[in-house]
């Protein structure tokens, strides 16, 4: 039965006919060992019915329905010859390196991408990544340095504020569970995305009200209490913007992880698409943040942020992220109010993992708030205990592969505490603070080097797609850990002023070294992390479990930031005022950015399955975790009959 919707919102909320009323596509197996997509192993995956939809997150709207066989109107899709021309995915180790043929490999990449994801979904990801992650989120994170420096906030305190601003990213597990269990007006993800957009818009609006010409100088003149009040308000507004970015990010990740699990042959093409648009947005954003910050035009920057925050609203409400419309007629679905449903059946079947995922998502922001606004030591101890609890819970509740992967990524993150605030304060310190320092302007430090870093990161995405995406996960992580650790030697050289002794200016050495290599290895590490998380998401709980493992990593990043704040504070460095002291910064970099990451991070990679990035990591039919094998096989014949009767969604036979 087709769910009803109010006439007033029907036009804006219903899915396109092409994604909601398609008939069953005819599956044509690819040639054995050939270049097509082998669908034989998936011929039992999706026989759905309204009786089982409460268990599952339907990936079929994301599938390009004219890939093979026939589309809904009976028109021919790709024939066998066209299927044979799709890019080879199954034998990446033996294929010719793609950089030998850049034009053909680019065509193959876009052919692969369009074979698995619809244009509207790809466009929605592009808008969110370009305007929100690469736009407004990059803007507010870049502004935190000049604003807090003008407010004379110490580097250790600024590190805590940064951790608080990033805490919504640790909320991803909670957001994922909420979107799975509580459809709003029949949609699991659409209105969660819209609400996050409104929260980000509210944060930008408050900043417009707060900031005028001379706001920071007035607060400094009024004393410490005025500075603290203004800084706390800024942090809360920036956190609201971060919440918008984190929510849109996890909702898109949950969607594309569904298809990455079904079609591991797609590799990391959608990950590269996502990172590419995010980096393109960050390049444009950084081009104006530095000059406007040097000029003190905060109000203009916050107007830009306000416009960027509302950009995804239209494509979101129009359903560019397509999903199945839910209804209270479904088995296990309870109507809480006229606008909200509760997937009681799905919750009862998977109560334990849902509760664990929810608590892990709420723990991060709570502990970040306690640490930022109360006491650092209490926050560190509480975070360490919570991390241990999450590790034990993951071992007891989830499949072992998920435990090993999440533990490995967690150790890699924790082995390199965040001390970026101290470095940023060193590079941008005034002559009064550090007479012998680099004295970088915000235009150079944020804009010039930021654009270079973004361009390098964009090239890193291309490099990864052309080379490292065909590696096994384990060597990919090992390579990036070693390269990332060695790249920080450039910071040590500049801090010790050795480059000056050799006649190399700070700007040139930083430009050719730090701005290039740190961005390069950062992306090369982030891409396989995103890919491996998507591949361990189980059927029926893609959003929630993906959010859980990513949330644990973000919780680890948050703890890394708290630990970095403590290291900066305990080092005795003075980072603001007229007499700054960065004497222990070089030793701090060597110990915490070179030695510890290699000693801890390299052994941690052996917990990762040594498989190709195009191979599935978990056999859910064999795993039999919370009914995942039932969902993978599609269930009984009656479900097929029910689905044929409703014609609600396409399915595979």
């Amino acid at each position: 039965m087709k769910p009803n919707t109010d006439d007033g919102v029907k036009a804006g909320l219903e899915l396109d006919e092409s994604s909601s009323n398609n008939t069953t596509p005819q599956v044509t197996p690819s040639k054995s060992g050939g270049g097509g997509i082998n669908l034989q192993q998936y011929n039992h995956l999706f026989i759905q019915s309204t009786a089982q939809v409460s268990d599952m997150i339907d990936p079929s709207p994301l599938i390009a329905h004219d890939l093979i066989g026939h589309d809904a109107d009976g028109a021919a899709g790709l024939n066998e010859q066209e299927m044979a021309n799709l890019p080879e995915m199954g034998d990446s180790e033996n294929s010719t390196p793609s950089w030998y043929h850049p034009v053909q490999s680019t065509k193959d990449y876009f052919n692969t991408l369009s074979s698995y994801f619809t244009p509207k979904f790809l466009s929605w990801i592009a808008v969110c990544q370009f305007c929100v992650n690469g736009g407004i989120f990059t803007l507010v994170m870049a502004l935190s340095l000049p604003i807090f420096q003008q407010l004379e906030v110490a580097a250790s305190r600024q590190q805590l504020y940064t951790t608080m601003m990033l805490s919504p990213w640790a909320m991803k597990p909670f957001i994922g569970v909420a979107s799975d269990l509580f459809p709003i007006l029949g949609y699991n993800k659409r209105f969660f995305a819209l609400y996050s957009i409104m929260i980000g818009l509210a944060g930008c609006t408050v900043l417009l009200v707060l900031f005028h010409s001379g706001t920071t100088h007035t607060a400094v003149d009024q004393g410490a209490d005025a500075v603290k009040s203004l800084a706390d308000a800024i942090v809360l507004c920036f956190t609201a913007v971060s919440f918008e970015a984190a929510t849109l990010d996890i909702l898109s990740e949950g969607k594309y992880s569904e298809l990455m699990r079904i079609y591991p042959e797609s590799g990391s093409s959608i990950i590269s698409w996502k990172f590419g648009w995010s980096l393109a947005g960050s390049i444009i954003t950084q081009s104006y943040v530095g000059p406007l910050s040097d000029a003190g035009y905060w109000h203009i920057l916050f107007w830009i942020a306000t416009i960027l925050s509302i950009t995804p609203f239209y494509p979101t409400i129009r359903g560019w992220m397509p999903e199945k419309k839910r209804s209270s007629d479904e088995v296990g679905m309870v109507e809480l109010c006229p606008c909200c449903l509760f997937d009681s059946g799905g919750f009862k079947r998977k109560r334990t993992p849902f509760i664990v995922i929810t608590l892990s998502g709420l723990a991060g922001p709570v502990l970040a708030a306690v640490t930022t606004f109360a006491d650092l030591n209490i926050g560190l101890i509480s975070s360490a205990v919570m991390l241990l609890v999450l590790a034990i819970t993951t071992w007891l509740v989830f499949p072992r592969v998920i435990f090993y992967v999440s533990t490995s990524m967690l150790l890699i993150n924790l082995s390199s505490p965040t001390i970026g605030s101290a470095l940023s304060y060193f590079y941008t310190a005034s002559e009064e603070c550090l007479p012998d320092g680099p004295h970088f302007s915000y235009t150079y430090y944020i804009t010039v080097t930021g654009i270079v870093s973004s361009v390098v990161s964009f090239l890193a995405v291309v490099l990864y797609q052309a080379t490292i995406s065909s590696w096994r996960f384990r060597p990919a992580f090992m390579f990036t850990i070693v390269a990332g650790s060695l790249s920080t030697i450039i910071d040590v050289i500049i801090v010790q002023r050795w480059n000056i002794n050799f006649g190399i200016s700070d700007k040139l050495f930083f430009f050719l070294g730090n701005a290039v290599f740190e961005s390069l290895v950062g992306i090369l590490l982030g891409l396989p992390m995103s890919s491996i998380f998507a591949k361990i998401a189980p059927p029926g709980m893609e959003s929630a479990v993906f959010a859980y493992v990513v949330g644990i990593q973000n919780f680890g990043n948050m703890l890394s930031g708290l630990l970095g704040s403590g290291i900066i504070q305990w080092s005795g460095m003075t980072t603001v005022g007229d007499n700054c002291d960065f004497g222990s910064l070089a030793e701090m970099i060597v110990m915490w950015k070179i030695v510890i990451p290699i000693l801890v991070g390299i052994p941690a990679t052996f917990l990762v399955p040594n498989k190709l990035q195009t191979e599935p990591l978990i056999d859910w039919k064999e795993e039999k975790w919370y009914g995942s094998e039932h969902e993978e096989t599609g269930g009984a014949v009656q479900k097929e009959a029910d689905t044929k009767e409703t014609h609600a969604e396409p399915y595979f036979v």
Side-chain angles (χ1 to χ4, degrees), residues 63-322:
I63 299 171
H65 298 302
D66 57 351
L67 172 63
I68 53 176
H70 300 274
D71 60 15
D73 299 322
L78 299 183
N79 56 38
E80 292 186 8
Q81 180 61 39
E82 291 168 327
M83 286 291 295
N85 291 332
L86 284 176
E88 176 70 50
M89 290 289 185
D91 193 20
S92 17
E93 285 187 319
N94 301 322
S95 57
T96 303
S98 57
W99 66 81
Y100 287 1
H101 308 286
V103 176
Q104 184 60 43
S105 63
T106 301
K107 290 174 61 178
D108 290 344
Y109 168 74
F110 283 105
N111 286 339
T112 301
L113 196 67
S114 61
S115 297
Y116 299 104
F117 306 95
T118 59
K120 282 190 175 181
F121 181 59
L122 292 173
S123 300
W124 185 81
I125 288 180
V127 169
C128 292
Q129 294 299 318
F130 184 85
C131 296
V132 180
N133 277 30
I136 180 176
F137 182 66
T138 299
L139 188 151
V140 298
M141 294 307 295
L143 282 180
S144 65
L145 173 63
I147 287 179
F148 290 132
Q149 268 191 323
Q150 285 200 9
L151 289 173
E152 297 184 2
V153 175
S156 58
R157 184 68 182 172
Q158 196 256 354
Q159 184 74 56
L160 285 178
Y161 282 152
T162 301
T163 302
M164 181 64 197
M165 288 185 284
L166 292 174
S167 63
W169 293 82
M171 285 182 65
K172 279 186 169 185
F174 173 75
I175 299 169
V177 168
S179 67
D180 283 347
L181 292 181
F182 296 96
I184 300 175
L185 291 180
Y187 294 97
N188 288 91
K189 293 177 171 60
R190 182 176 302 180
F191 287 93
F192 280 93
L194 293 174
Y195 293 154
S196 72
I197 293 170
M198 300 311 296
I199 290 173
L201 179 63
C204 293
T205 304
V206 173
L207 288 170
L208 282 174
V209 174
L210 280 178
F211 266 85
H212 300 282
S213 178
T215 298
T216 55
H217 297 296
T218 302
V220 172
D221 293 339
Q222 291 177 349
D225 290 340
V227 168
K228 186 177 184 303
S229 298
L230 179 59
D232 289 349
I234 293 170
V235 169
L236 292 176
C237 292
F238 282 7
T239 303
V241 171
S242 182
F243 177 80
E244 176 184 357
T247 301
L248 295 178
D249 197 58
I250 186 54
L251 295 179
S252 65
E253 287 170 340
K255 274 295 180 183
Y256 67 63
S257 67
E258 297 166 10
L259 281 187
M260 288 185 70
R261 173 184 57 80
I262 301 166
Y263 295 118
E265 299 93 337
S266 66
S268 55
S269 58
I270 188 67
I271 307 292
S272 300
W273 175 263
K274 168 190 169 182
F275 272 81
W277 280 103
S278 179
L279 290 171
S282 70
I283 291 173
I284 295 177
T285 301
Q286 290 165 342
S287 67
Y288 58 79
V289 170
L292 292 178
S293 296
D294 278 327
Y297 293 152
W298 312 116
H299 213 247
I300 295 177
L301 288 167
F302 293 136
W303 268 114
I304 295 173
T306 303
I307 295 171
L308 290 174
S309 68
I310 199 66
T311 305
F313 187 88
Y314 177 80
T316 301
I317 200 170
R318 294 296 298 175
W320 289 16
M321 178 179 60

Side-chain angles (χ1 to χ4, degrees), residues 407-418:
T407 301
S408 174
M409 300 301 102
L410 194 59
L411 290 173
I412 292 173
N413 286 336
L414 289 178
S415 65
S416 181
T418 304

Side-chain angles (χ1 to χ4, degrees), residues 558-591:
M558 188 194 74
L559 182 54
S560 174
L562 298 180
L563 182 60
S565 177
I567 291 172
I568 296 171
Q569 181 177 319
W570 301 327
S571 69
M573 286 192 298
T574 304
T575 57
V576 291
D578 294 334
N579 237 344
C580 297
D581 179 14
F582 291 90
S584 59
L585 183 56
E587 292 83 358
M588 188 188 306
I589 296 171
V590 172
M591 176 59 66

